[in-house]
Amino acid sequence: MTNFRIIASRKWLLVFIAALVCGATNFFLQNKTYTDIPPQTGQYSSCSTGSNGNQDVFYVYVTDARIANMASERLCKDATIKRQYGEVKVIVGQSDYDTFRYVNYGVVDLALVKRNVVDAFGADQIYGFTPIASHPNYSAYFIALREKPWLNKEYLLGKRIGLLDYPSSRSGHILPKTVLQRLGLTNTNVDIVYYNSHQDLRRALLAGEVDIISSYWAEEDAKKLSRNYAVPLQESVSGMQWFLKMETKNTDLFCATQAVVHKLAVDHPRPYYKTIILEEGCDS
């Protein structure tokens, strides 16, 4: 009789545990899709256009925080943007993952990226990304602080080389990696150090953290660096372009954003961004 009671108690305990597990499983299955995933990009700038009741957001993607601040301020003041949108949000990309996420999936309405990015994702065909303005092509260099770098294995062997942590950057990643590979150099015989921006590369070079960086040459570099100590890797690298998502023939928006982009170029402190070519389609 005692054995029967023990067995019965165990059965009820097993039934209780099974019911508890099933209930918990059902709870999580029912609720797993209800929570939003927070944005993975750490920086953005936003502003209200003052258009009360308009919930539409104009999304912009750039990789430069200074451009982000300038763009949000000017876009929110534009009359066309005010009519069509209630808010402007400018996202500052931190990596190639950000570029992939926002351009490949057509999340943003305006983007400052390279043509090869749009072509690779097919964003022009799928989302109607249309160029509205272009910055000029530029050259890529190995730049040192106190001597001219030589593009041979003997010189580069054991050097500390600063590159961009952006696999899609031609001047800061693709071209230097190609040169090193051609010379038979790898992580085992050169010390490659990755940085987040071209500005970080220059800071690292001046601080002595690296011997050489791979980047473009800007006019303002002459204040702290010598052009004699820059050796070209490639004479012409495709420049940055502004793309607008044109899923409809919104010519007012095309002309408005083009005018803002032109104003950004005029006001930007860096000479590279001051030079801009506008696409045809607007009278002014």
Side-chain angles (χ1 to χ4, degrees):
M1 186 69 176
T2 301
N3 290 338
F4 174 78
R5 288 177 178 175
I6 293 175
I7 293 172
S9 298
R10 287 176 178 174
K11 286 183 178 179
W12 280 109
L13 181 61
L14 290 174
V15 170
F16 175 77
I17 291 173
L20 185 63
V21 170
C22 289
T25 302
N26 182 66
F27 174 82
F28 286 114
L29 286 174
Q30 293 295 325
N31 288 276
K32 67 177 182 178
T33 59
Y34 293 161
T35 55
D36 293 331
I37 299 174
Q40 300 301 308
T41 300
Q43 299 181 31
Y44 68 87
S45 175
S46 65
C47 58
S48 172
T49 65
S51 179
N52 295 330
N54 191 335
Q55 301 299 314
D56 291 334
V57 180
F58 187 73
Y59 287 99
V60 184
Y61 180 81
V62 299
T63 55
D64 184 287
R66 180 178 289 170
I67 293 178
N69 293 329
M70 295 170 66
S72 61
E73 178 184 351
R74 287 158 177 77
L75 286 168
C76 273
K77 292 179 180 179
D78 182 82
T80 300
I81 299 293
K82 283 176 175 289
R83 286 197 302 270
Q84 298 191 16
Y85 296 91
E87 182 184 0
V88 173
K89 180 171 288 189
V90 185
I91 301 155
V92 184
Q94 305 293 307
S95 65
D96 280 337
Y97 169 76
D98 290 336
T99 303
F100 172 80
R101 180 187 179 198
Y102 289 102
V103 177
N104 179 55
Y105 291 106
V107 175
V108 294
D109 302 287
L110 180 66
L112 178 60
V113 292
K114 292 192 175 183
R115 177 84 223 189
N116 66 299
V117 171
V118 174
D119 290 342
F121 297 153
D124 54 341
Q125 301 294 324
I126 301 172
Y127 305 109
F129 274 101
T130 304
I132 63 172
S134 305
H135 294 290
N137 294 347
Y138 55 91
S139 299
Y141 297 89
F142 265 166
I143 305 172
L145 190 59
R146 296 185 177 89
E147 64 178 359
K148 184 176 181 177
W150 293 90
L151 298 183
N152 59 59
K153 185 173 184 178
E154 292 72 25
Y155 176 84
L156 295 173
L157 199 65
K159 289 288 192 296
R160 297 169 300 167
I161 302 177
L163 304 183
L164 275 188
D165 194 18
Y166 269 65
S168 63
S169 171
R170 293 191 62 80
S171 64
H173 194 104
I174 297 174
L175 289 174
K177 281 288 191 72
T178 301
V179 169
L180 294 176
Q181 184 179 23
R182 186 173 68 241
L183 295 174
L185 296 168
T186 64
N187 291 338
T188 61
N189 43 34
V190 293
D191 185 10
I192 298 177
V193 186
Y194 292 101
Y195 294 91
N196 292 324
S197 69
H198 287 282
Q199 288 71 30
D200 285 344
L201 287 174
R202 284 156 173 75
R203 180 202 56 76
L205 181 62
L206 292 170
E209 295 177 13
V210 292
D211 303 306
I212 301 168
I213 61 171
S214 184
S215 186
Y216 54 84
W217 181 266
E219 291 183 14
E220 60 265 33
D221 286 333
K223 297 176 182 178
K224 296 181 179 180
L225 301 170
S226 171
R227 186 63 179 265
N228 293 328
Y229 300 153
V231 59
L233 302 179
Q234 183 171 312
E235 292 294 344
S236 182
V237 179
S238 60
M240 303 292 283
Q241 288 184 269
W242 287 94
F243 290 89
L244 177 67
K245 185 163 66 174
M246 292 281 288
E247 293 180 307
T248 61
K249 196 172 180 59
N250 194 341
T251 53
D252 283 354
L253 185 62
F254 181 97
C255 295
T257 52
Q258 189 180 71
V260 170
V261 164
H262 181 257
K263 189 67 166 61
L264 285 176
V266 172
D267 295 341
H268 202 284
R270 280 184 52 195
Y272 173 75
Y273 286 111
K274 285 184 178 298
T275 305
I276 191 168
I277 301 170
L278 303 180
E279 297 291 331
E280 297 181 359
C282 296
D283 296 332
S284 58

